[in-house]
Amino acid sequence: MHYKRILLKLSGEALMGQQQYGIDAKRLDEYAEEIKSVMEKGVEVAIVIGGGNIFRGLAGASQGMDRVQGDHMGMLATVINGLALQSALELKGVQTRLQSAIKINEVAEPFIRRRAIRHLEKGRVVIFGGGTGNPYFTTDSAAVLRAIEIKADVILKGTRVDGIYTSDPEKDKNATKFDSISFNEVLSKGLKVMDTTAFTLSQENELPIVVFDMNTKGNLMKLVSGENIGTVVNV
């Protein structure tokens, strides 16, 4: 395998599938199958999942809600998604642990770095919920932070597009895809990969990011096997 330990970042919206809200059981099952397949090859997998399919703090704030309250609601939404993914994985016989940055001891372990690393070493998927535990930080920032803490080899950002383009490929048919690009190029070209805080943190720690299409069956396995899937952002 090309990578030994990965941090997989999934958006909450991805779990909606074709729905307008909530969690699509079929999409959840597909993701669980993809994750199981790479686990069986000995790859250690940690996951950060967003909560946008349930609630976004920023959206709440735009409608007059207190931003901190809204972000706390969004953090709880990521725990709900984490529980759903945990259940889907365990139905397939994959051992998992859900760790939350917000203490919810009845449903998730508190985030403890050394414990998370030990779970990975024992072959368990570790799902990190609750974002960073702080308002004003996105789950992109949580993904980069956790990846650095657990010494992941790479962040794999699963999206619905197959990489980074010169412009939005869903709006511009002339958009061209990058196979690889440097952090500095992303910034100079004004391309959107992650929010600025997360992206800068990844750059400072020389942690590569791969943006790829998670919805195409087999892509995750191809990627961790070293195939040229998606776009690599590197130093």
Side-chain angles (χ1 to χ4, degrees):
M1 293 290 103
H2 191 64
Y3 300 112
K4 172 63 177 171
R5 180 177 295 167
I6 64 172
L7 188 294
L8 178 62
K9 169 63 170 63
L10 299 173
S11 70
E13 287 93 334
L15 293 186
M16 292 192 296
Q18 301 302 314
Q19 301 174 177
Q20 298 301 308
Y21 178 83
I23 300 169
D24 178 5
K26 184 174 181 292
R27 175 59 54 80
L28 198 63
D29 182 74
E30 290 169 352
Y31 282 180
E33 192 61 45
E34 293 286 301
I35 294 162
K36 179 184 178 183
S37 68
V38 301
M39 285 286 297
E40 290 175 339
K41 293 292 185 180
V43 178
E44 296 174 1
V45 182
I47 302 169
V48 169
I49 191 162
N53 56 321
I54 300 172
F55 191 85
R56 274 188 180 280
L58 203 56
S62 69
Q63 297 172 20
M65 180 180 288
D66 178 76
R67 173 66 190 272
V68 175
Q69 290 288 84
D71 279 356
H72 282 142
M73 292 170 69
M75 289 178 217
L76 292 173
T78 70
V79 176
I80 292 172
N81 285 339
L83 285 165
L85 185 58
Q86 180 180 43
S87 177
L89 285 165
E90 290 187 342
L91 283 171
K92 294 184 179 295
V94 178
Q95 286 195 330
T96 69
R97 291 293 187 273
L98 174 61
Q99 292 197 344
S100 173
I102 303 171
K103 288 185 180 178
I104 319 177
N105 295 336
E106 287 75 13
V107 296
E109 294 180 358
F111 170 68
I112 299 172
R113 174 180 170 268
R114 289 179 182 272
R115 184 180 288 178
I117 291 171
R118 188 64 179 141
H119 287 321
L120 292 168
E121 291 171 345
K122 284 180 171 287
R124 298 165 184 149
V125 171
V126 180
I127 304 167
F128 297 117
T132 65
N134 303 289
Y136 297 98
F137 288 91
T138 66
T139 48
D140 278 349
S141 292
V144 176
L145 179 62
R146 296 292 180 249
I148 294 165
E149 288 177 309
I150 65 170
K151 293 182 166 57
D153 299 322
V154 66
I155 295 175
L156 305 182
K157 184 169 182 178
T159 66
R160 62 186 181 187
V161 293
D162 62 346
I164 300 170
Y165 284 76
T166 51
S167 57
D168 188 343
E170 295 180 346
K171 297 176 182 176
D172 181 4
K173 64 179 182 180
N174 296 317
T176 55
K177 177 175 170 277
F178 296 99
D179 288 329
S180 64
I181 190 169
S182 71
F183 283 99
N184 288 334
E185 282 181 290
V186 169
L187 293 171
S188 65
K189 294 177 187 296
L191 303 174
K192 185 68 176 171
V193 177
M194 287 181 165
D195 71 78
T196 309
T197 304
F199 192 77
T200 303
L201 186 60
S202 189
Q203 182 182 23
E204 288 176 350
N205 288 274
E206 299 183 355
L207 180 65
I209 303 166
V210 181
V211 179
F212 74 108
D213 178 8
M214 182 67 183
N215 297 337
T216 298
K217 187 175 181 180
N219 263 3
L220 183 61
M221 175 61 80
K222 290 176 182 176
L223 208 166
V224 298
S225 299
E227 290 190 37
N228 187 21
I229 299 292
T231 301
V232 181
V233 184
N234 216 327
V235 180

